[in-house]
Amino acid sequence: MKKLIGLQGNDQGHWVGDGFPVRTLFFYQDLGKQMSPFLMLDYAGPAEFPSTTERKGVGSHPHRGFEAVTIVYEGEVAHRDSTGQGGVIGPGDVQWMTAGSGILHEEFHSEKFAKNGGTLNMVQLWVNLPANLKMTKPGYQAILDKQIPVIDLHNGAGQARIIAGKLNGQQGPAHTFTPMNVVDLKLNQGSMSIPVPEGWNASLVVLKGAVEAGNGVVAKDAQMLVFTNQGQDIQVNVLEDSIALLLSGEPIDEPIVGYGPFVMNSKEEISQAIQDFNGGSFGRISQ
């Protein structure tokens, strides 16, 4: 069984653009080794937005060297990028964007959501790419709720939506560059074991509810339990019905050097990313 490293959370929020009030629950500068291959998680919401005719969100900006994964629980987000991809994702949908060698994208509340108003509740996760794939071709995967397999957990423990990786023989639809599991969980009250391979980092992000680790540490809304990579599986006690996100994966044992929207392996690569972006090589978003 994997041992608990500790409890992680952040009650200090900030805005991304004018449409996403987020709390950064972890960041690679603090937990890069323990969370690898994951770099960052922003929890946006739950937040109420009134009806408006304004376009709220964040405009065109670059990324290089990693992937950005957006999981929507409530509300709608409209995406466009310099690969020509885009669309609207709503409750249960996922967008998995590979920045790779360089991408420009924008994210706004959908026109329908802005007009009607309502609750926005979503997660954005940054996933690292290994050094030999950081300059891979940019891409975009639009994964609809109906494409994500849902399985019942053993002994009535709840349900799992497998976004990426494999759980109990079911494979998620997301293509990943390194082995990982990203699993959306609805957990019922009671004790349970969650499968995680030996050698993989693992964390359980509690979006809503209360989940206790083996030594009595409890993660509540917008907190996460971080485990060692030694041992197999994690054991938790779900104190009340909860919504959580399992993040587990094979660590990428390489240097992490980041600057704003770029995550590479050296300062020289960061300088090159800035130069390439300023030179226009990331393309443009078609109007």
Side-chain angles (χ1 to χ4, degrees):
M1 203 66 64
K2 294 182 181 293
K3 294 182 179 179
L4 182 73
I5 295 175
L7 179 71
Q8 177 74 13
N10 180 10
D11 58 3
Q12 301 297 312
H14 65 278
W15 282 85
V16 175
D18 63 359
F20 305 107
V22 308
R23 288 166 284 178
T24 301
L25 300 193
F26 72 87
F27 193 56
Y28 61 85
Q29 290 182 343
D30 301 317
L31 288 172
K33 182 176 181 180
Q34 295 87 347
M35 291 300 303
S36 180
F38 307 104
L39 294 167
M40 185 201 75
L41 186 142
D42 275 349
Y43 183 26
E48 294 294 325
F49 286 88
S51 172
T52 182
T53 57
E54 295 180 19
R55 196 173 183 225
K56 290 187 176 294
V58 57
S60 177
H61 59 283
H63 291 297
R64 172 180 280 184
F66 64 96
E67 302 185 282
V69 180
T70 302
I71 305 168
V72 175
Y73 293 91
E74 297 176 272
E76 284 187 344
V77 178
H79 164 96
R80 293 195 307 163
D81 65 45
S82 53
T83 72
Q85 298 293 313
V88 174
I89 58 171
D93 299 338
V94 176
Q95 67 175 25
W96 196 293
M97 186 188 76
T98 303
S101 61
I103 200 168
L104 301 178
H105 80 137
E106 62 177 32
E107 295 169 295
F108 288 93
H109 298 177
S110 73
E111 186 176 341
K112 177 183 174 182
F113 179 74
K115 180 180 179 181
N116 295 335
T119 303
L120 180 71
N121 189 12
M122 56 173 268
V123 162
Q124 185 165 98
L125 174 70
W126 286 12
V127 180
N128 202 9
L129 291 170
N132 65 329
L133 292 171
K134 281 192 174 291
M135 296 296 286
T136 197
K137 182 180 178 181
Y140 177 79
Q141 302 172 70
I143 303 170
L144 301 180
D145 181 33
K146 63 183 180 182
Q147 297 174 288
I148 301 173
V150 180
I151 63 171
D152 292 323
L153 299 172
H154 295 313
N155 301 318
Q159 287 188 324
R161 292 195 324 140
I162 306 161
I163 297 168
K166 183 181 288 187
L167 186 69
N168 294 347
Q170 286 285 336
Q171 181 74 42
H175 165 76
T176 68
F177 289 88
T178 60
M180 69 186 69
N181 287 343
V182 178
V183 182
D184 194 19
L185 297 167
K186 290 183 179 179
L187 303 176
N188 298 329
Q189 187 174 354
S191 296
M192 67 173 299
S193 177
I194 301 174
V196 179
E198 168 72 39
W200 283 27
N201 286 333
S203 62
L204 190 67
V205 183
V206 179
L207 302 176
K208 183 178 181 180
V211 179
E212 179 185 30
N215 60 353
V217 175
V218 177
K220 297 185 178 180
D221 296 6
Q223 294 181 323
M224 56 188 286
L225 301 166
V226 182
F227 297 86
T228 63
N229 59 15
Q230 293 86 25
Q232 291 186 359
D233 306 341
I234 58 177
Q235 182 75 37
V236 295
N237 184 27
V238 183
L239 302 180
E240 59 186 67
D241 291 355
S242 299
I243 297 172
L245 189 64
L246 171 68
L247 304 177
S248 63
E250 184 176 272
I252 299 173
D253 188 17
E254 295 173 353
I256 300 174
V257 179
Y259 178 81
F262 309 129
V263 182
M264 303 299 289
N265 299 108
S266 69
K267 291 181 179 179
E268 291 76 17
E269 289 172 329
I270 293 294
S271 296
Q272 187 64 53
I274 295 170
Q275 181 178 325
D276 291 346
F277 167 64
N278 289 335
S281 67
F282 283 32
R284 62 186 180 88
I285 299 174
S286 299
Q287 299 301 315

